[in-house]
Amino acid sequence: MTAVQHLKRFTSGLTLLGLAAHASAQVQVADAWVRATVPGQPSSGAFMTVTADSDSKLLSVASPVAKDVQIHEMSMKDDVMRMGPVDSVALPAGQAVKLDPDGYHVMLMGLTGQIKEGDQVPLTLTVQNAKGEKQTVEVQAKARGLDGMDHSKMH
């Protein structure tokens, strides 16, 4: 094999690696965490920052620690805080979207057991891009202390 043929194969290999890296880098999740619970507590929240490299939307989240997982939005209207499920969360290309206690967040309901501080909670996010292609992203979210979401202003 000539040096030119080696170079062509090497270049082709790098191109394929680049495409594979691009495909797997479509959605990035950072700072994923779940609120620790007390024994018998039926639900908790999961929070993170999600960034997609193309216009996409977060469709769903699943976890083996909960019977039901929903994406919720916290909002204020006429001085009343409301929280409820949403069908999806828009992920504009290149923009970090925070899922936090004061906006969009993930509700883990029907917990199968207590989530203790320091536990690693598996989450599977399903994201769909503008072309309709779906991607799943596996995340390990660390459980943090019990201080947190203030529901006292909800009516």
Side-chain angles (χ1 to χ4, degrees), residues 37-89:
T37 63
V38 296
Q41 185 174 329
S43 62
S44 184
F47 314 96
M48 65 202 78
T49 301
V50 183
T51 308
D53 65 3
S54 64
D55 286 341
S56 302
K57 57 186 173 181
L58 175 61
L59 296 178
S60 64
V61 180
S63 178
V65 305
K67 293 177 183 138
D68 187 25
V69 181
Q70 297 178 359
I71 303 168
H72 279 207
E73 181 180 22
M74 182 85 70
S75 61
M76 288 290 287
K77 184 173 182 181
D78 300 325
D79 292 329
V80 177
M81 188 176 288
R82 300 180 190 278
M83 181 177 75
V86 296
D87 292 330
S88 63
V89 175

Side-chain angles (χ1 to χ4, degrees), residues 88-108:
S88 63
V89 175
L91 302 172
Q95 293 184 24
V97 176
K98 284 187 169 271
L99 276 63
D100 63 31
D102 297 321
Y104 291 112
H105 57 277
V106 176
M107 288 301 301
L108 304 166

Side-chain angles (χ1 to χ4, degrees), residues 19-31:
L19 290 173
H22 178 73
S24 65
Q26 180 183 356
V27 176
Q28 299 290 324
V29 177
D31 303 322

Side-chain angles (χ1 to χ4, degrees), residues 119-131:
D119 285 354
Q120 293 293 319
V121 178
L123 303 171
T124 302
L125 285 63
T126 301
V127 176
Q128 182 176 18
N129 67 18
K131 298 175 188 172

